[in-house]
Amino acid sequence: MKYQSLRGTNDILPEESKYWRYVEEKVADIFSVFGYQEIRTPIFEMTELFVRSIGQTTDIVNKEMYTFPDKKGRSITLRPEGTAPVVRACLQNQLYQKDEILKLYYKGPFFRYERPQAGRERQFHQFGVEVFGSMNPSIDAEIIYLGNFILKTLGLKNFEILLGSVGCPVCRPKYEKAITSALKECCSELCEDCKIRYNKNPLRILDCKNEDCRKYIDKIPPLSEYLCGDCKKHLEAVEKLLTLLELDYKLSPYLVRGLDYYTHTTFEFVYPSLAAQATLIGGGRYNNLVKEFGGQHVPACGFAGGMERIITALKNEGRKPSQLDALDIFIIPVGDNCFKTAFKLLQEIRAEGIPSDMDYRQSSFKSQMRRADKLQVLYTIIIGEDELSDAVVKLKEMRTGNEENIKLSNIIDELKKRLHS
Ligand code: HAM
């Protein structure tokens, strides 16, 4: 074949897109229930936006950005994540009003030039939230609760919540010193990246994926021992609220995440059976980013979830697309005269938002029934000559096989009643 999709990019084919729509729709509904408004930002931005926020010594900025000059020679980058663009958009459009809380969500494609493998793509898709305007630990706790709510609603069971704190500009320098003194002896044995991190951004060593470096991480004392009073208090308050909300979580003292903008709380939802690409959702607090971008001091907190990984986890737990995207009704006209009535009724049922379909080819009753079975619909509506002359339809419940004649003029109310219950 002449053309192939690029490595690390995927076509989402019809069977697969059922999972995507299922997740996207559920997530969007949940975000509105929790009071979030949608924001859409461009796919590419000035490179500096990402370098300044994600951090010069992170893998994302160092190795993974799709960066290129545009025709005027400006450095442009395909967005590798959503937080920096949302902060930029808020400032540029003055979305954030002082003393208010602003809650935004987004979804779409993101780009990182990583080594592709299962769960790690070069074009991948995230949904995410960002909340601006409060230091209150209830924001952190609610965001974690929201992540949990989403994964549970989608039907996932086997995930864990990891919680940590990366401290703040008061306590982090002390911890960075603790890292460098713990690794002093073995510094020359660290990977080339970590040698640079050792001098420029020691915290990043905790996030190194290199097997050899990971051996030395045990030598580093846990971050939790170096948190200042405020950071400790904040973490404890988040923990208490998570307990109030009856969420199970594990404290993870080395959870630094791959982006530099975090302060205080960090968290991840991990799905252990996805091995190396186990993080389904990751996020945390970033109290200084708005100010670094030239705004006021506006504390903020958010997360992003990876669609590809969540869909893999759904499949892992045996969720079939047919269960996610099933039609409720299949209409079966028997005989040419009944087609028009069935066709019109189909559109009326759909206008009520009830997922429904028919076989437009007027095939045999048997083959239409086979199709209804295959689609796993809840009910079929059978309209034959006899029914037509009595102005009724036959409603068949597929699970039980029960059939009942219902007046044509009542069928929509009857369906609404049954599907609702
Ligand atoms: P992140 O941890 O870099 O955080 O990405 C969030 C999620 O995106 C990951 O947990 C994973 O599910 C998915 N993901 C990341 N890279 C890939 C990839 N190459 N292939 C497939 N999935 C991937 C952020 O992006 C932050 N902006 C999250 C945030 C929002 N923090 C505060 N607000």
Side-chain angles (χ1 to χ4, degrees):
M1 214 206 325
K2 205 166 173 186
Y3 301 112
Q4 297 273 326
S5 61
L6 293 173
R7 236 183 126 215
T9 69
N10 290 305
D11 298 314
I12 300 166
L13 303 175
E15 202 48 22
E16 188 70 11
S17 68
K18 291 181 181 169
Y19 284 101
W20 285 73
R21 251 202 339 276
Y22 169 74
V23 175
E24 282 167 357
E25 283 169 11
K26 278 261 176 334
V27 166
D29 286 349
I30 295 171
F31 285 151
S32 31
V33 169
F34 278 73
Y36 286 82
Q37 292 176 293
E38 190 185 4
I39 183 165
R40 300 185 189 208
T41 64
I43 299 288
F44 55 85
E45 301 265 359
M46 304 280 288
T47 300
E48 200 191 326
L49 179 87
F50 298 114
V51 177
R52 286 278 302 274
S53 53
I54 299 170
Q56 191 84 58
T57 47
T58 57
D59 279 353
I60 298 179
V61 167
N62 252 329
K63 304 178 188 165
E64 297 169 2
M65 295 214 298
Y66 278 90
T67 296
F68 52 92
D70 71 2
K71 287 195 188 295
K72 286 207 165 147
R74 290 169 296 212
S75 184
I76 303 294
T77 292
L78 299 186
R79 59 182 192 184
E81 63 101 45
T83 308
V86 169
V87 172
R88 195 255 325 122
C90 283
L91 285 169
Q92 185 177 337
N93 299 289
Q94 290 156 15
L95 280 190
Y96 177 74
Q97 304 295 322
K98 203 167 178 303
D99 297 330
E100 278 187 7
I101 290 185
L102 175 67
K103 295 164 85 172
L104 300 172
Y105 83 86
Y106 52 89
K107 63 172 167 41
F110 294 85
F111 307 87
R112 296 183 193 175
Y113 194 83
E114 301 201 63
R115 186 137 30 96
Q117 47 184 277
R120 199 197 283 164
E121 318 294 335
R122 289 182 174 165
Q123 173 172 334
F124 59 98
H125 299 77
Q126 289 185 343
F127 56 79
V129 293
E130 312 294 349
V131 179
F132 298 95
S134 177
M135 255 312 280
N136 196 301
S138 61
I139 303 279
D140 315 40
E142 195 189 72
I143 279 184
I144 297 170
Y145 180 78
L146 172 58
N148 183 71
F149 193 90
I150 288 174
L151 296 184
K152 281 255 151 50
T153 306
L154 290 175
L156 289 178
K157 293 191 189 82
N158 306 323
F159 61 87
E160 289 173 3
I161 305 174
L162 304 180
L163 177 70
S165 171
V166 285
C168 68
V170 174
C171 49
R172 202 176 302 159
K174 289 180 200 143
Y175 186 56
E176 286 172 342
K177 265 206 189 112
I179 298 178
T180 47
S181 52
L183 298 179
K184 209 170 183 174
E185 309 284 274
C186 53
C187 179
S188 58
E189 287 164 47
L190 296 173
C191 73
E192 290 311 306
D193 288 337
C194 280
K195 282 184 189 140
I196 298 170
R197 292 168 181 146
Y198 184 89
N199 292 315
K200 290 197 170 161
N201 190 353
L203 200 66
R204 284 262 69 83
I205 297 174
L206 294 183
D207 199 37
C208 184
K209 310 285 180 301
N210 185 302
E211 283 297 315
D212 293 331
C213 294
R214 297 225 62 85
K215 282 193 298 217
Y216 298 112
I217 289 171
D218 290 345
K219 291 182 182 291
I220 302 174
L223 213 162
S224 46
E225 287 177 12
Y226 286 80
L227 293 179
C228 64
D230 281 352
C231 285
K232 262 194 196 134
K233 227 168 87 190
H234 189 85
L235 182 60
E236 280 163 13
V238 174
E239 285 191 70
K240 280 202 179 115
L241 287 162
L242 292 181
T243 308
L244 175 77
L245 296 172
E246 297 178 17
L247 281 196
D248 283 335
Y249 62 90
K250 273 193 197 150
L251 277 177
S252 176
Y254 293 104
L255 189 67
V256 293
R257 312 238 328 105
L259 309 101
D260 276 353
Y261 47 62
Y262 293 111
T263 56
H264 302 87
T265 315
T266 48
F267 59 87
E268 287 187 349
F269 288 71
V270 294
Y271 196 82
S273 54
L274 294 187
Q277 318 312 324
T279 309
L280 301 182
I281 293 181
R285 196 163 256 293
Y286 49 99
N287 287 342
N288 300 328
L289 190 57
V290 179
K291 194 151 188 219
E292 271 167 37
F293 277 11
Q296 305 287 316
H297 174 70
V298 181
C301 192
F303 71 61
M307 292 281 295
E308 283 81 358
R309 292 184 194 177
I310 289 172
I311 289 170
T312 305
L314 281 172
K315 289 179 185 166
N316 209 308
E317 292 196 12
R319 304 296 302 266
K320 301 252 170 12
S322 55
Q323 295 169 316
L324 308 174
D325 208 13
L327 289 170
D328 290 336
I329 310 292
F330 196 74
I331 305 189
I332 303 184
V334 192
D336 292 352
N337 292 338
C338 308
F339 181 82
K340 275 191 194 151
T341 309
F343 185 63
K344 182 144 184 281
L345 179 62
L346 173 65
Q347 312 314 330
E348 287 164 2
I349 294 174
R350 285 174 174 167
E352 295 296 332
I354 300 171
S356 41
D357 211 348
M358 73 187 295
D359 179 326
Y360 302 85
R361 299 165 301 175
Q362 304 181 46
S363 2
S364 70
F365 175 71
K366 229 170 147 186
S367 103
Q368 294 190 67
M369 266 323 264
R370 259 203 310 273
R371 179 88 188 125
D373 271 332
K374 194 164 170 211
L375 289 169
Q376 298 184 334
V377 294
L378 300 176
Y379 294 95
T380 45
I381 294 175
I382 301 157
I383 311 178
E385 304 277 345
D386 290 349
E387 284 83 15
L388 196 62
S389 60
D390 293 344
V392 296
V393 298
K394 192 168 273 157
L395 184 65
K396 176 170 179 172
E397 186 177 17
M398 298 300 275
R399 188 176 55 87
T400 56
N402 289 344
E403 291 182 357
E404 210 178 314
N405 278 354
I406 313 266
K407 269 195 181 159
L408 185 59
S409 54
N410 279 350
I411 182 69
I412 291 189
D413 284 345
E414 189 59 35
L415 287 178
K416 285 204 286 200
K417 209 161 72 198
R418 292 187 185 213
L419 292 171
H420 197 63
S421 69

